[in-house]
Amino acid sequence: MATAAISFLWIGGTAQAAACAELGPDGYQTLKLGMTTQQAKATGEIVPYRGPDPGAGINPECGFYDLTDRPGRPGGLTVLVSPKLGVSYIEGYPGVRTPQGIGIGSTEEALRTAYPDWNPAEPGGQFVPVPENPNAFYEFNAGNGEVDHLGLRSVGQECIE
């Protein structure tokens, strides 16, 4: 079952709860790695991708989708569904965090503390095993000292290079 971290925002002098969506260890909200296209659509978590051709690096045999609750950039490509593996890639967005608290905007120091195997200097070093799911990897990229990309990939996924 997916969990959400709760933080409090001060708005107009009162505290209001704001949920932080979680990516992992097996998916996002009710969308899970391995779901078929039909199962994924039934969650209500995805809509068809309506952006430009994603170009090189994306397998055209895969289904292209976006998360329904992702703010900004409507029509973005954030979910890929493999004909063999089902949902095999889910991209996070600002506000989404791993169970270890890492998301876009986290410091590189926090990333290294939470995921000591992350080492972008090595080939494939931006991919780290997902704790509690041996069939998945997190993908982290960082620039200017902070995380600027977060994704969850199935082992053996064939949709994105």
Side-chain angles (χ1 to χ4, degrees), residues 102 106-116 118 142 145-147:
I102 303 300
S106 294
T107 66
E108 197 170 315
E109 180 181 345
L111 171 60
R112 288 181 192 279
T113 299
Y115 301 98
W118 182 77
E146 65 181 40
V147 175

Side-chain angles (χ1 to χ4, degrees), residues 4 18 47 56-57 64-65 98 104 134 146 150:
V47 292
F64 305 160
Y65 298 92
T98 69
I104 294 172
E146 65 181 40
L150 164 63

Side-chain angles (χ1 to χ4, degrees), residues 133-153:
N133 186 352
N135 297 312
F137 289 95
Y138 282 123
E139 175 183 11
F140 297 105
N141 292 332
N144 298 320
E146 65 181 40
V147 175
D148 59 17
H149 174 80
L150 164 63
L152 178 66
R153 291 179 173 222

Side-chain angles (χ1 to χ4, degrees), residues 73-132:
R73 292 187 359 211
L77 179 57
T78 55
V79 177
L80 297 170
V81 182
S82 159
K84 295 178 186 171
L85 300 174
V87 173
S88 60
Y89 178 78
I90 305 170
E91 183 178 317
Y93 56 83
V96 174
R97 302 249 178 240
T98 69
Q100 289 72 28
I102 303 300
I104 294 172
S106 294
T107 66
E108 197 170 315
E109 180 181 345
L111 171 60
R112 288 181 192 279
T113 299
Y115 301 98
D117 292 337
W118 182 77
N119 184 356
E122 293 182 13
Q126 74 271 24
F127 301 106
V128 295
V130 174
E132 301 166 6

Side-chain angles (χ1 to χ4, degrees), residues 7-8 16 26-27 39 44 51 54-55 61 64 66 72 79 82 90 112 115 138 155 160:
S7 61
F8 289 90
Q16 297 183 5
D26 60 351
Q39 291 168 328
E61 293 180 15
F64 305 160
D66 192 16
V79 177
S82 159
I90 305 170
R112 288 181 192 279
Y115 301 98
Y138 282 123
V155 170
I160 191 170

